[in-house]
Amino acid sequence: GESVGLHLPTLSVQEGDNSIINCAYSNSASDYFIWYKQESGKGPQFIIDIRSNMDKRQGQRVTVLLNKTVKHLSLQIAATQPGDSAVYFCAATGGGNKLTFGTGTQLKVEL
Amino acid sequence: GAVVSQHPSWVICKSGTSVKIECRSLDFQATTMFWYRQFPKQSLMLMATSNEGSKATYEQGVEKDKFLINHASLTLSTLTVTSAHPEDSSFYICSASPVDYGYTFGSGTRLTVV
């Protein structure tokens, strides 16, 4: 089955710095990946997604990189702001329509 | 667009009673919806896949008689926690997948069983 994990449980960054959150997945058949942001007591909020036929996708202040060779996914947040403080999850579909979530990284933005 | 509404946002119930949680797709039709459970400081764990007009598909280890799922229309799926116990206290989240929009999540329901 699909297994998705994150390298670090907590990431602290200074306001204005760039943040990089990493994620590893195990199923080579995974073809769709999503990053979510979750604030306390709320449901996950979509940030950005990427399909397996791409290796990079950019949004507003966010970039997702996909390395299928080593089954690694990263989320880069430029100019991190206090409002970015939350838990970030990567998720992947493993050949079906079910999403498997990683363990989450708590991003803390220090002023 | 692609909004999923979940109700209630929080509920407190007594042990032994049942609680129903609703998940609605507001501006799209969803033949499939998903129910997740999340414990504090943990990730989302898929409980079941709700299929409109047919039986739900439960993940391994999830008791189908305890977590009843009904998906009677293309815009509504319900999760009923039957004979709730304190260990069922958790954050329950639903999601649906509109075409070309990935997966959209509801705002979650905080269930506390006392």
Side-chain angles (χ1 to χ4, degrees):
Chain A
E2 178 68 66
S3 172
V4 182
L6 291 173
H7 295 303
L8 293 173
T10 303
L11 175 66
S12 294
V13 298
Q14 293 289 323
E15 180 181 6
D17 287 351
N18 296 334
S19 303
I20 299 177
I21 301 172
N22 295 303
C23 180
Y25 62 97
S26 61
N27 188 348
S28 56
S30 296
D31 56 5
Y32 181 54
F33 306 87
I34 313 174
W35 281 101
Y36 287 96
K37 172 186 180 182
Q38 187 180 30
E39 297 174 323
S40 182
K42 297 183 179 180
Q45 177 186 354
F46 173 90
I47 300 174
I48 193 168
D49 61 359
I50 188 168
R51 295 199 177 275
S52 58
N53 60 351
M54 302 173 68
D55 53 21
K56 180 179 181 179
R57 192 168 186 213
Q58 290 184 292
Q60 188 176 12
R61 283 202 305 119
V62 294
T63 301
V64 55
L65 299 178
L66 174 63
N67 185 329
K68 294 181 289 294
T69 302
V70 295
K71 296 201 269 302
H72 182 270
L73 193 68
S74 70
L75 176 69
Q76 300 178 7
I77 304 174
T80 311
Q81 303 169 358
D84 295 327
S85 294
V87 177
Y88 289 80
F89 292 98
C90 65
T93 58
N97 64 352
K98 294 192 296 185
L99 271 181
T100 299
F101 279 79
T103 53
T105 292
Q106 173 77 57
L107 177 64
K108 296 183 178 180
V109 181
E110 300 171 346
L111 303 178
Chain B
V3 177
V4 172
S5 174
Q6 195 171 335
H7 179 82
S9 56
W10 61 270
V11 58
I12 301 173
C13 71
K14 293 184 178 180
S15 283
T17 63
S18 295
V19 173
K20 180 184 286 187
I21 302 169
E22 293 187 348
C23 181
R24 294 180 185 272
S25 55
L26 297 186
D27 47 5
F28 66 98
Q29 294 183 331
T31 56
T32 303
M33 291 186 176
F34 304 91
W35 287 97
Y36 294 82
R37 182 175 183 175
Q38 185 179 32
F39 290 108
K41 298 190 183 300
Q42 293 189 21
S43 186
L44 283 75
M45 297 299 296
L46 180 65
M47 299 175 65
T49 302
S50 173
N51 305 298
E52 189 269 334
S54 65
K55 293 182 178 180
T57 304
Y58 290 81
E59 295 300 301
Q60 190 173 7
V62 178
E63 300 176 59
K64 62 180 181 180
D65 294 330
K66 182 166 187 61
F67 299 100
L68 300 180
I69 291 173
N70 184 278
H71 195 153
S73 77
L74 288 171
T75 59
L76 174 65
S77 175
T78 61
L79 168 69
T80 301
V81 182
T82 63
S83 187
H85 288 96
E87 57 265 31
D88 298 324
S89 298
S90 189
F91 194 50
Y92 293 87
I93 310 170
C94 68
S95 79
S97 180
V99 176
D100 295 334
Y101 283 91
Y103 297 79
T104 301
F105 286 80
S107 54
T109 298
R110 173 74 60 194
L111 171 63
T112 302
V113 184
V114 297

